[in-house]
Amino acid sequence: MSNYRPTIGLEIHAELKTHTKMFCDSLNDPDEKHPNVNVCPVCLSHPGTLPTINKQAVEHVIKVGLALGGKINPVSKFDRKNYFYPDLPKGYQISQYDQPLVLSGELNGVRIRRIHLEEDTGTLIHDEKTYSSLVDFNRAGVPLMELVTEPDVKSADETIAFAKELQLILRYLGVSDADMEKGQMRIEANVSINMGTKTELKNINSFRFAREAIEYEIKRQKEALEKGGEIEQETRGWDENKKRTVSQRTKEEAHDYRYFPEPDLPPFETSVFGFENLKISIPELPKEKRTRLASEYSLNEKQVGVLVEDMALAEYFEEAVSELKALSAKADPKAILNYLTSDLMGLINAEKLVFADLKIEPEHLAHLVFLIESGKIGSRQAKDILAKMFETGLDPEEILTSEGLHTISDEAELIKVVQEVIKENPSAVADYKKGKTASLQFLVGQAMAKLKGRGNPEVLAKIFEKNL
Ligand code: ADP
Ligand code: MG
């Protein structure tokens, strides 16, 4: 039924990376394991306390707005959104209602309606055995960005692509780690058919669940409409076990929240945050980086994708390539890419490390590739050296010297081995003399085995030719 077109609008929350919380000086530490450590009278809402605005959080949101080509609201303000829940000590959340920080923007062809700043709630820990709940306020008051799109998204795939690109941009900007599993990024999807009545999908904590929930919901709504039924406006959650969306509550309206201006925080002019300086601090963004890397290094989409996924990895790659070019004009950047994405990633993953833990300097990786390309070491030997570099962070040349691994090119040293091999392999020698050139490769291989891979194969071949 092609006239049933899904329409999806997204509301994406991201916890911002700041030193302190949104309205007080308690630490914003997502890794804190002990409950209720990073709290103070302000974020615990003791009566008589006053909020102060975290400048870094506002700057983060303005940066996101600028990066997405949005208009920054000249005057912005905070509002109270009133509701009760045990994880919300104030009984209201400080958010932004009619004057958000960012008024527009665009990403992946999806229009952005607004981006605003608010505070996160605490977390509840439910104990099913005793039917009791505990509350941890470490997260209460952590700066939270909310981005709202127009209903321009047309499928679950487009939702995931949008959310992943946003996640990457937030990381590039350094404003959020945006880890879905840790709840640092949360996706809410408003789903309807042809802009009819929408349902809001909430509490989805992975990209996979988001895709499954949206696909399910589109199908559910289509089937209901085809049967002549109606869609009820409601909030639905994802039941991972039953693989379906389930009604959670009928949707509340804005007037239920009794929004009103936060009386303790006056409206403010955003120009005081200095847009020009914030613009300068925006790095090359993923989209531009993909285009540039592809043309500059002749990489395909997949290769570029791997690099751009991690800003540090892409930077490392470019630095290593530039070091390699300094050593040899005809060096191939793809050799660097291959070592980075296969061998090194393998070592990093095997040790359960992350890329940032890598001890090898880009110039040392470049040096290794240069040693291989110039025939000073073989690719098998390179693997061992790379493993040592990974452990120690040393330059490959240093490792060659200290481990006595230097390739032997000295004829005087190699001739003895050649003579031994000739003596031990009379039939191969006879074959070679009859014109079977492949036998030379075999003999060189025998010599390499005796030399534990350290012989220079070209020099060895020459000595064989001379002595046969
Ligand atoms: P509400 O007032 O119900 O909260 P909003 O107009 O504020 O709705 O929109 C919230 C989100 O829902 C936005 O992302 C918007 O794009 C999306 N949205 C609005 N109407 C629809 C619709 N009919 N179908 C799908 N998404 C919609
Ligand atoms: Mg709304």
Side-chain angles (χ1 to χ4, degrees), residues 352-367:
K352 294 200 165 57
L353 299 173
V354 292
F355 183 70
D357 299 323
L358 185 63
K359 283 191 205 154
I360 303 174
E361 296 293 330
E363 62 181 280
H364 293 161
L365 180 64
H367 196 179

Side-chain angles (χ1 to χ4, degrees), residues 7 9-11 113 148-151 190 192 195-196 198 251:
T7 34
L10 303 172
E11 293 167 281
R113 181 183 288 179
V148 183
T149 76
E150 294 296 337
N190 298 273
S192 73
M195 286 302 287
K198 66 177 158 63
K251 174 103 170 87

Side-chain angles (χ1 to χ4, degrees), residues 14-259:
E15 276 176 9
L16 298 178
K17 218 154 68 164
T18 54
H19 182 54
T20 54
K21 291 188 183 180
M22 187 61 233
F23 298 112
C24 63
D25 59 7
S26 292
L27 289 184
N28 170 15
D29 178 6
D31 298 323
E32 179 57 65
K33 295 288 178 296
H34 302 283
N36 299 306
V37 178
N38 294 322
V39 293
C40 76
V42 178
C43 55
L44 290 176
S45 332
H46 289 194
T49 56
L50 289 172
T52 45
I53 297 172
N54 183 329
K55 183 170 174 249
Q56 198 185 14
V58 178
E59 287 173 348
H60 281 354
V61 174
I62 294 176
K63 262 169 81 167
V64 177
L66 294 171
L68 300 177
K71 178 171 163 42
I72 311 303
N73 206 343
V75 178
S76 186
K77 75 170 171 51
F78 286 98
D79 301 276
R80 289 190 184 179
K81 179 180 181 179
N82 299 279
Y83 68 93
F84 170 80
Y85 209 66
D87 61 10
L88 186 75
K90 291 193 183 88
Y92 61 85
Q93 177 192 35
I94 305 182
S95 179
Q96 299 195 288
Y97 186 51
D98 54 351
Q99 292 187 49
L101 274 167
V102 181
L103 296 169
S104 60
E106 182 274 332
L107 178 63
N108 279 12
V110 175
R111 286 168 301 158
I112 285 148
R113 181 183 288 179
R114 58 183 279 153
I115 311 174
H116 69 254
L117 192 48
E118 56 191 31
E119 54 179 338
D120 210 345
T121 61
T123 37
L124 294 174
I125 301 133
H126 303 291
D127 184 345
E128 309 214 330
K129 277 200 201 106
T130 59
Y131 298 102
S132 57
S133 293
L134 300 165
V135 58
D136 175 6
F137 288 119
N138 281 340
R139 203 184 66 178
V142 161
L144 200 60
M145 176 197 104
E146 180 174 349
L147 178 150
V148 183
T149 76
E150 294 296 337
D152 291 345
V153 183
K154 292 177 210 70
S155 65
D157 282 347
E158 281 187 23
T159 302
I160 306 305
F162 180 93
K164 285 201 167 160
E165 191 68 3
L166 178 67
Q167 180 184 54
L168 202 52
I169 290 172
L170 296 176
R171 290 176 178 169
Y172 269 52
L173 294 174
V175 304
S176 174
D177 288 335
D179 192 327
M180 291 275 288
E181 262 135 70
K182 291 187 185 157
Q184 292 166 339
M185 177 160 143
R186 296 163 229 161
I187 303 173
E188 285 157 31
N190 298 273
V191 179
S192 73
I193 302 296
N194 296 331
M195 286 302 287
T197 306
K198 66 177 158 63
T199 59
E200 185 171 354
L201 303 179
K202 275 198 165 158
N203 304 324
I204 305 165
N205 54 13
S206 77
F207 288 121
R208 184 161 68 86
F209 294 167
R211 172 178 277 115
E212 289 175 344
I214 292 167
E215 277 169 358
Y216 178 92
E217 188 59 17
I218 290 170
K219 189 158 167 273
R220 185 188 73 85
Q221 291 191 16
K222 270 189 196 172
E223 284 171 4
L225 293 171
E226 272 165 351
K227 282 192 204 129
E230 278 183 15
I231 304 301
E232 210 191 326
Q233 174 148 336
E234 60 186 353
T235 300
R236 297 177 72 88
W238 176 242
D239 183 332
E240 169 53 14
N241 295 319
K242 299 200 175 114
K243 297 273 178 210
R244 58 177 191 170
T245 61
V246 283
S247 180
Q248 288 185 328
R249 59 188 146 96
T250 51
K251 174 103 170 87
E252 57 288 295
E253 301 283 341
H255 62 249
D256 295 331
Y257 292 120
R258 301 224 162 232
Y259 277 100

